[in-house]
Amino acid sequence: MKKHGTDSTICHALTVDVEDYFQVSGFENRVLRKQWDQYESRVEANTDRLLSSFDLHEVRGTFFVLGWVAERYPALVKRIAKAGHEIASHGYWHRLVYDISEEEFARDLVDSKDAIHNACGVETTAYRAPSFSIVEKSLWALDILIEHGFTQDSSIFPISGHDRYGIADAKREIHVIERRSGSIEEFPPSLAHVMGVKVPVGGGYFRLLPQALTSMAIAKIENERRPAMFYIHPWEVDPQQPRVDDIGRMNRFRHYVGLASTQSKLSRLISNHKFGTVADSIRSHWGDGRKPQLAPDSNTVAV
Ligand SMILES: [Zn+2]
């Protein structure tokens, strides 16, 4: 299939955060974790829908799987891996990193790693925090990731004005972060300004905005000769999902806007651009020999 774009060497990252509709951060005060087992689960069917679509378009992506999901639906995780996608961690309990202690974070990380390994035999080395919750006050999480063998992270959103996440002046491109415990490659979620509109590439913004705006944002990032990071959740292609009430107007809007059209918008998006896994995308960014050595230089930031 022909892919549009200015630079055919750049491969954008297609990523899925594998969690169920009732596990999102916006519902966490309404749906207690101990109640998760009581909700109708739709994560298998919804993830299978994404898998079929990716298969149809012959594209592979990276699936950040919640440990809780991996433990209960190991066959699903096996199917994702068998289809050639990259398996990564989204934590175990979907706890916001800045809401828990370093010890709790380490435990949650190990539990997710173990659950995923038990499900499909993959040793995860890439991580995305629930709701991009590695922010200024929770950067310590990077040390714990490094200590547990993680080499890639996609949790630091370079955005301002969001109530739950973001480091406004964080780097927008793939970069290496050096910490006291070692180094880790950060591939931040993407955003671009298109026609005066701030367009983050994925999630609720993808459902809310016309697909053309997301495509224009990706093209703009590609014009800067770097790959974009796109993210989606299985529940975002499920307009029939059971409604959770008493969640407040803002959460209701964020969760339910645009569900009916997201599957078709996604098909158009992955037809229009060249996508791959996070590993494919990082390789396309560094190219041959462009990856910086871990001595301080312009691509390296010490935090
Ligand atoms: Zn999540």
Side-chain angles (χ1 to χ4, degrees):
M1 191 169 295
K2 186 172 175 349
K3 307 283 180 184
H4 305 282
T6 54
D7 188 339
S8 63
T9 64
I10 290 180
C11 177
H12 304 290
L14 178 63
T15 69
V16 181
D17 295 353
V18 182
E19 66 199 31
D20 226 324
Y21 62 97
F22 51 82
Q23 297 174 318
V24 300
S25 300
F27 295 177
E28 73 173 357
N29 294 325
R30 171 68 180 75
V31 181
L32 303 180
R33 286 178 178 78
K34 63 180 180 195
Q35 298 172 325
W36 281 0
D37 275 317
Q38 298 162 26
Y39 279 76
E40 176 195 340
S41 175
R42 299 173 71 93
V43 69
E44 273 204 285
N46 291 337
T47 307
D48 281 338
R49 199 170 305 156
L50 291 175
L51 288 172
S52 300
S53 174
F54 295 173
D55 206 41
L56 192 70
H57 291 90
E58 296 179 1
V59 64
R60 299 290 167 260
T62 295
F63 287 66
F64 293 92
V65 182
L66 200 62
W68 189 93
V69 171
E71 194 158 292
R72 282 155 185 82
Y73 306 100
L76 171 67
V77 186
K78 268 199 205 88
R79 283 202 294 285
I80 300 170
K82 202 166 167 226
H85 302 287
E86 184 180 19
I87 305 283
S89 167
H90 193 40
Y92 189 95
W93 282 109
H94 213 269
R95 302 282 309 269
L96 297 171
V97 176
Y98 48 74
D99 278 353
I100 55 180
S101 69
E102 297 187 23
E103 292 71 27
E104 287 170 318
F105 176 74
R107 183 76 259 157
D108 188 88
L109 187 65
V110 169
D111 287 349
S112 80
K113 239 179 126 66
D114 288 350
I116 291 168
H117 185 262
N118 291 340
C120 67
V122 170
E123 207 61 68
T124 47
T125 56
Y127 175 78
R128 169 170 294 148
S131 295
F132 307 108
S133 55
I134 299 186
V135 298
E136 207 77 65
K137 64 182 174 186
S138 51
L139 284 169
W140 48 260
L142 297 173
D143 288 308
I144 295 171
L145 287 168
I146 295 164
E147 283 159 14
H148 288 85
F150 284 82
T151 52
Q152 275 130 25
D153 175 71
S154 180
S155 307
I156 301 177
F157 214 134
I159 194 171
S160 59
H162 196 282
D163 55 344
R164 205 171 284 133
Y165 53 74
I167 298 181
D169 57 356
K171 287 194 173 198
R172 293 185 174 194
E173 66 273 22
I174 296 169
H175 57 285
V176 176
I177 299 180
E178 288 204 85
R179 300 282 305 180
R180 58 168 171 74
S181 52
S183 62
I184 190 162
E185 259 174 322
E186 177 66 29
F187 191 164
S190 297
L191 86 166
H193 286 85
V194 178
M195 300 191 303
V197 181
K198 185 166 71 179
V199 183
V201 179
Y205 309 95
F206 181 62
R207 284 180 281 124
L208 173 66
L209 302 170
Q211 183 262 323
L213 275 184
T214 299
S215 264
M216 287 163 80
I218 291 174
K220 195 170 175 189
I221 293 164
E222 190 171 315
N223 278 333
E224 295 168 12
R225 297 194 47 75
R226 57 189 179 90
M229 162 69 75
F230 174 80
Y231 70 97
I232 194 162
H233 306 84
W235 53 265
E236 292 185 288
V237 293
D238 181 12
Q240 313 300 335
Q241 64 188 271
R243 289 330 193 229
V244 176
D245 53 14
D246 295 333
I247 50 173
R249 217 164 58 173
M250 176 62 119
N251 281 327
R252 193 162 55 241
F253 176 73
R254 276 184 182 164
H255 193 89
Y256 297 120
V257 68
L259 291 177
S261 57
T262 301
Q263 177 85 67
S264 58
K265 284 161 88 174
L266 178 64
S267 290
R268 288 203 299 280
L269 191 81
I270 55 182
S271 306
N272 285 347
H273 307 275
K274 183 179 170 185
F275 279 105
T277 64
V278 166
D280 293 336
S281 193
I282 287 180
R283 251 195 314 274
S284 85
H285 179 64
W286 295 131
D288 288 334
R290 276 176 60 195
K291 184 172 177 176
Q293 297 306 303
L294 296 182
D297 64 22
S298 61
N299 285 311
T300 307
V301 62
V303 287

